Amino acid sequence: MSAAIEALMRQALDLAASVNDDVPVAAIVVDEDGRIIGRGVNTRERDGDPTGHAEINALRQAAVERGQWRLEGCDLVVTLEPCTMCAGALVAARVGRLVFGAFDDKAGAVGSLWDVVRDRRLNHRPEVAGGVLAERSAELLRRFFADQR
């Protein structure tokens, strides 16, 4: 993985570490020029919104910044493997590449439980790179859930 992608994942991990009222997951959307056009963290608990996932929040911000829902050519960098909702959203938004950190054996839809983004029946399939700085992301999640017990 390129140094630029790892740097973006480190930014996402730092953003995730700042979350203190929800599961520490963060996402960043980067345009073709490498400019960050969207950031998001989980806000389900804060907003009482089941769609308040980091990826959805970052995609929404990026679409507003771009002035359109199509995010072709953009990268979505997220600290945890997307769930089915988020995987479907990034496919619908035509994201060019998905980069994620930790795999999610309980809800992952990019290879762990399902593989939504590579389903040949869909009209768009982004490039995927998983496991980028996965241990750091997994450690954030382990600490969060240990503190919840």
Side-chain angles (χ1 to χ4, degrees):
M1 190 54 38
S2 76
I5 288 298
E6 284 192 8
L8 286 167
M9 183 60 78
R10 280 192 282 284
Q11 286 185 48
L13 287 163
D14 290 345
L15 184 57
S18 73
V19 175
N20 58 17
D21 59 348
D22 212 318
V23 178
V25 176
I28 295 174
V29 178
V30 182
D31 71 9
E32 302 90 334
D33 298 323
R35 191 172 59 96
I36 295 173
I37 60 171
R39 288 183 178 85
V41 297
N42 278 357
T43 57
R44 291 181 310 169
E45 297 298 328
R46 184 191 75 196
D47 298 346
D49 178 1
T51 67
H53 289 207
E55 300 95 322
I56 300 297
N57 291 328
L59 290 170
R60 285 179 176 149
Q61 190 178 80
V64 168
E65 176 68 21
R66 232 184 194 191
Q68 64 173 327
W69 62 266
R70 285 182 184 86
L71 300 177
E72 295 165 342
C74 293
D75 293 344
L76 173 65
V77 178
V78 61
T79 59
L80 181 65
E81 178 183 1
C83 69
T84 53
M85 175 182 67
C86 295
L90 72 95
V91 168
R94 312 291 197 277
V95 167
R97 179 171 53 172
L98 165 66
V99 177
F100 69 89
F103 285 85
D104 185 351
D105 295 337
K106 294 180 180 174
V110 187
S112 289
L113 290 181
W114 300 281
D115 203 346
V116 172
V117 300
R118 293 184 193 101
D119 190 321
R120 294 191 183 280
R121 296 170 292 182
L122 297 175
N123 62 345
H124 178 74
R125 287 179 299 285
E127 179 185 331
V128 176
V132 177
L133 301 178
E135 186 50 41
R136 187 165 166 210
S137 180
E139 181 56 31
L140 269 176
L141 294 164
R142 276 193 292 274
R143 278 195 311 245
F144 173 80
F145 287 111
D147 291 346
Q148 296 299 305
R149 294 184 191 119

